[in-house]
Amino acid sequence: DGGITQSPKYLFRKEGQNVTLSCEQNLNHDAMYWYRQDPGQGLRLIYYSQIVNDFQKGDIAEGYSVSREKKESFPLTVTSAQKNPTAFYLCASRGRQVNTEAFFGQGTRLTVV
Amino acid sequence: RKEVEQDPGPFNVPEGATVAFNCTYSNSASQSFFWYRQDCRKEPKLLMSVYSSGNEDGRFTAQLNRASQYISLLIRDSKLSDSATYLCVVVASGSARQLTFGSGTQLTVLP
């Protein structure tokens, strides 16, 4: 079955640690996105990539980094520079045509302990 | 001004009621529009696309008004299972970011 997979589902980070969230899709989508969602809030764009080896900052990129070495994969690293990383992280992918919808992974819930 | 704006609600309605949500967008170059549903602590899932002529899927009707730059979602005969947050999504061609989400409207259907 085609889809988009995020892992892990739950992640605990100690203060000062970097952690990497995985996002893989087998939908052959060019565009991939990372969003952060805080309780009761909407989705805020962290980074997006429209093609392999290229990515752009979103609205809240500080403290995060990404890579896009393969079309299928768009991992997100939450660095120690991100002062308030506890949130729900969502990865999405989308085809090239303007009328296509975005598909989401199940999300990763990150908690700083 | 936000690119996409929604009334955050919450909307609390009795079972069987009809409820409508609006979403306004600022980019006149926007070309595609969607409504997503998000359940608590889950990922958003596509509810329906919004076409220029309007479209209906069972109890759900979506409309697009390009002149006034808004989209709407109408839910008839509300069910308890309709309780969720509804997100509008706008796609603008020529925009490198392409995909813009509203902040969501929370709906609770009461027994």
Side-chain angles (χ1 to χ4, degrees):
Chain A
D1 286 339
I4 178 167
T5 303
Q6 285 185 244
S7 62
K9 191 171 181 181
Y10 299 97
L11 185 58
F12 298 89
R13 190 195 94 168
K14 292 181 181 178
E15 289 203 26
Q17 263 186 344
N18 291 358
V19 291
T20 297
L21 283 58
S22 170
C23 179
E24 303 276 334
Q25 54 98 0
N26 60 3
L27 300 166
N28 199 32
H29 286 168
D30 289 304
M32 296 187 74
Y33 306 81
W34 273 106
Y35 294 91
R36 169 181 172 142
Q37 189 174 37
D38 293 284
Q41 305 294 315
L43 278 66
R44 291 189 288 167
L45 182 65
I46 305 172
Y47 269 98
Y48 64 100
S49 168
Q50 296 192 93
I51 196 168
V52 174
N53 292 324
D54 186 58
F55 48 83
Q56 306 294 330
K57 292 182 179 180
D59 298 317
I60 56 165
E62 186 175 350
Y64 300 98
S65 66
V66 293
S67 63
R68 186 85 187 276
E69 296 175 3
K70 298 186 300 181
K71 188 175 186 179
E72 302 78 18
S73 180
F74 191 41
L76 173 75
T77 296
V78 184
T79 74
S80 56
Q82 171 49 241
K83 297 305 178 189
N84 185 22
T86 295
F88 187 44
Y89 291 86
L90 286 158
C91 179
S93 72
R94 189 168 165 271
R96 191 173 290 195
Q97 291 181 332
V98 72
N99 290 325
T100 59
E101 74 267 26
F103 293 82
F104 282 86
Q106 291 185 309
T108 294
R109 199 162 297 276
L110 173 63
T111 304
V112 173
V113 295
Chain B
R1 183 185 174 188
K2 288 184 181 177
E3 287 187 56
V4 178
E5 295 204 55
Q6 288 184 253
D7 182 343
F11 284 65
N12 298 316
V13 302
E15 252 186 306
T18 295
V19 61
F21 308 134
N22 282 338
C23 172
T24 59
Y25 60 94
S26 60
N27 187 344
S28 59
S30 299
Q31 291 200 340
S32 299
F33 308 88
F34 305 93
W35 283 102
Y36 278 71
R37 170 193 170 125
Q38 185 176 25
D39 293 294
C40 189
R41 302 174 74 85
K42 299 282 191 180
E43 76 276 21
K45 293 187 178 177
L46 180 69
L47 179 66
M48 57 197 305
S49 303
V50 187
Y51 303 122
S52 296
S53 55
N55 49 303
E56 188 173 309
D57 182 3
R59 298 181 293 106
F60 299 84
T61 301
Q63 298 275 357
L64 166 63
N65 185 318
R66 286 191 184 273
S68 300
Q69 295 185 199
Y70 75 84
I71 63 173
S72 64
L73 177 68
L74 182 78
I75 305 175
R76 290 182 299 279
D77 188 23
S78 300
K79 311 291 184 191
L80 296 177
S81 57
D82 293 334
S83 297
T85 296
Y86 291 84
L87 302 162
C88 68
V89 181
V90 174
V91 181
S93 70
S95 163
R97 293 163 55 127
Q98 293 187 335
L99 201 67
T100 306
F101 282 81
S103 56
T105 298
Q106 185 181 342
L107 171 67
T108 301
V109 181
L110 304 168

